[in-house]
Amino acid sequence: MSSKLLVVDPDGRVLLLDCQDPGSLQTRWQELPGGGVEPGEDEAQAAVREVLEEAGVVVPLETVGPLLWTQVASFSWRGSRHVAAHEGRVARLPGPPQTRPVELTGPEKGTILGARWWSPQEVTAHQGRFFPRSLPELLPQLLAGHRVDEADDDWDVPGSGPAGSGAVQVLPVNRRAARVLLVDAADRVLLLQGRDPADPTQGSWWFTPGGGLDDGEEPVQAARRELSEETGLQLAAEALGPVVFERVAHFRFAGRHYRQAEVYYLARIERHDVDTSGWTPLEVASVTGHRWWPRAELRTTTERLYPSELADVLDRVLSA
C-alpha cells in the first residue's frame, strides 16, 4: 500500500513531485508525494514522513484528514511491471510551508527531480502526465472533501481515459466480506497465513478468519460460516455481537483486482484447536498456515498483517 498526501498551502496551491523513469528518461510526470507504510506507522504517519523525505516540506500530523481516494495502478518503472494499491488524504497547512533538506532514498534518487507548488488552474492547464492520471478532475473533489474510489488504471496501455490521458480503466470486482477477531483467554488473536497462488512474487501475509458474503447472506451469517470452514469453530450469532470495525480494502488476487468492503466482529473464547478439514480448494491452495498471535507481537513483527492497523483495532475493542 502506498499512502499519498495532497498537501495544500494557505494560498490553495498543491504540492507535486516532478518525476521521471530512470529506465526511460523520456517518461516524465507530476505526482502526489507519498510512499509505503513502514512497520509501526499508520497511513497518515507514513504520508507525512514521505512528504518530508521527498519534498522537504513539514506537514503537522494533526492537519492530515481522513481517507478520500483509492486506486490500484499498473505501471512500468525501471524496466519492470508493477501493480500497487494507492490511497490518499488531504493535509491543509495552517501557515507558510516550513521546509527541511530533502532526503531521498536509493530508489527515489534519479526518479524524483524536484517539487513545486501548483495552483489548481495550473494543474487543469498542464498538458503533461500526472499520477494519479485523473488529478485535474480529481482535485476539485478532494479539495471539497469528497470520497473517490477510482477504477484500476494501467499506465502502459493506450485507450480512452480521464481527460483524454490515455488511461484504460478496468473496474475492480466489488465484494463484501465479514471477518472475525478471534481472541482466546491468553489474549492471543488467531491469524491465518495466506499467499496468492497465481503470483508468488507477492510473498505471504497474515489475516483474520473470514471471507466474502454468499448471495442472500447477512454479514454475521457469512462470518460464522467462514469461521467454521476455516477453523472448525462453530459459534452462535450472539457470540459475535455487533460490528466493531469496518474498512474498504483494495488488493489483487488470482489475476484480478478487488475492492472489498469488510466488517469485523469480535469473539472471545477460552481456547480452540484449529481444524482445517473444512477448507475449500481455494483455501487449500492459498492458506499456508495459522497461528495464535500474542497481541504485543503484532506491534513488533516485520510480517505483513491485514488489516495493517490490527494492533490498534484490538487495543480499542478489547478496552471498550
Side-chain angles (χ1 to χ4, degrees):
M1 172 64 72
S2 178
S3 182
K4 298 288 187 179
L5 198 58
L6 179 67
V7 185
V8 187
D9 76 359
D11 294 325
R13 301 177 303 171
V14 298
L15 182 66
L16 296 177
L17 305 176
D18 185 14
C19 301
Q20 71 174 12
D21 183 354
S24 177
L25 298 182
Q26 70 272 22
T27 303
R28 191 90 168 258
W29 68 93
Q30 308 298 316
E31 180 171 342
L32 293 176
V37 181
E38 295 183 352
E41 289 182 324
D42 61 24
E43 286 76 4
Q45 292 168 333
V48 167
R49 173 184 51 75
E50 289 283 347
V51 171
L52 183 61
E53 292 176 358
E54 296 174 341
V57 174
V58 178
V59 177
L61 184 60
E62 63 271 16
T63 66
V64 179
L67 176 65
L68 290 180
W69 168 74
T70 61
Q71 185 183 62
V72 175
S74 305
F75 54 94
S76 292
W77 183 65
R78 292 181 179 265
S80 300
R81 286 279 289 168
H82 302 264
V83 178
H86 302 268
E87 62 178 47
R89 294 166 173 79
V90 175
R92 297 182 181 274
L93 299 181
Q98 299 184 22
T99 60
R100 301 284 189 272
V102 172
E103 299 180 1
L104 298 180
T105 63
E108 294 165 342
K109 295 176 181 178
T111 298
I112 299 176
L113 305 180
R116 80 171 180 92
W117 295 93
W118 293 61
S119 70
Q121 294 78 14
E122 288 178 304
V123 172
T124 301
H126 185 61
Q127 297 300 306
R129 304 178 83 189
F130 290 101
F131 183 80
R133 197 193 304 249
S134 59
L135 185 62
E137 293 77 25
L138 190 64
L139 187 58
Q141 300 181 65
L142 296 181
L143 293 177
H146 297 156
R147 172 72 181 259
V148 181
D149 294 307
E150 289 203 283
D152 296 0
D153 185 7
D154 189 336
W155 266 37
D156 298 334
V157 181
S160 59
S165 60
V168 168
Q169 294 206 327
V170 181
L171 291 175
V173 177
N174 285 304
R175 191 170 184 254
R176 297 173 65 201
R179 299 196 168 278
V180 179
L181 304 172
L182 188 63
V183 181
D184 71 4
D187 226 19
R188 301 176 303 171
V189 61
L190 179 65
L191 298 181
L192 307 177
Q193 186 176 39
R195 67 183 185 97
D196 184 350
D199 185 6
T201 63
Q202 288 197 49
S204 64
W205 57 87
W206 294 89
F207 62 100
T208 60
L213 274 63
D214 287 343
D215 291 342
E217 266 190 328
E218 293 296 323
V220 69
Q221 294 173 318
R224 293 174 59 214
R225 174 182 51 77
E226 289 282 347
L227 188 64
S228 176
E229 290 176 1
E230 295 176 343
T231 73
L233 180 64
Q234 298 185 15
L235 292 178
E238 54 270 22
L240 296 181
V243 171
V244 295
F245 177 63
E246 299 182 51
R247 71 164 190 158
V248 176
H250 291 258
F251 58 93
R252 185 179 179 89
F253 185 79
R256 304 192 70 177
H257 292 144
Y258 292 85
R259 179 185 183 274
Q260 181 163 279
E262 300 179 343
V263 296
Y264 287 73
Y265 298 92
L266 172 67
R268 298 297 305 257
I269 63 172
E270 285 297 315
R271 64 180 301 276
H272 177 65
D273 294 324
V274 174
D275 177 4
T276 62
S277 61
W279 283 6
T280 65
L282 178 60
E283 289 163 346
V284 170
S286 61
V287 182
T288 58
H290 62 271
R291 181 188 168 204
W292 289 94
W293 284 68
R295 284 170 55 196
E297 286 190 27
L298 300 176
R299 296 194 178 277
T300 59
T301 183
T302 58
E303 301 271 0
R304 277 189 292 166
L305 306 177
Y306 294 122
S308 59
E309 63 269 43
L310 179 59
D312 291 334
V313 172
L314 284 171
D315 284 350
R316 177 177 59 81
V317 300
L318 294 177
S319 63

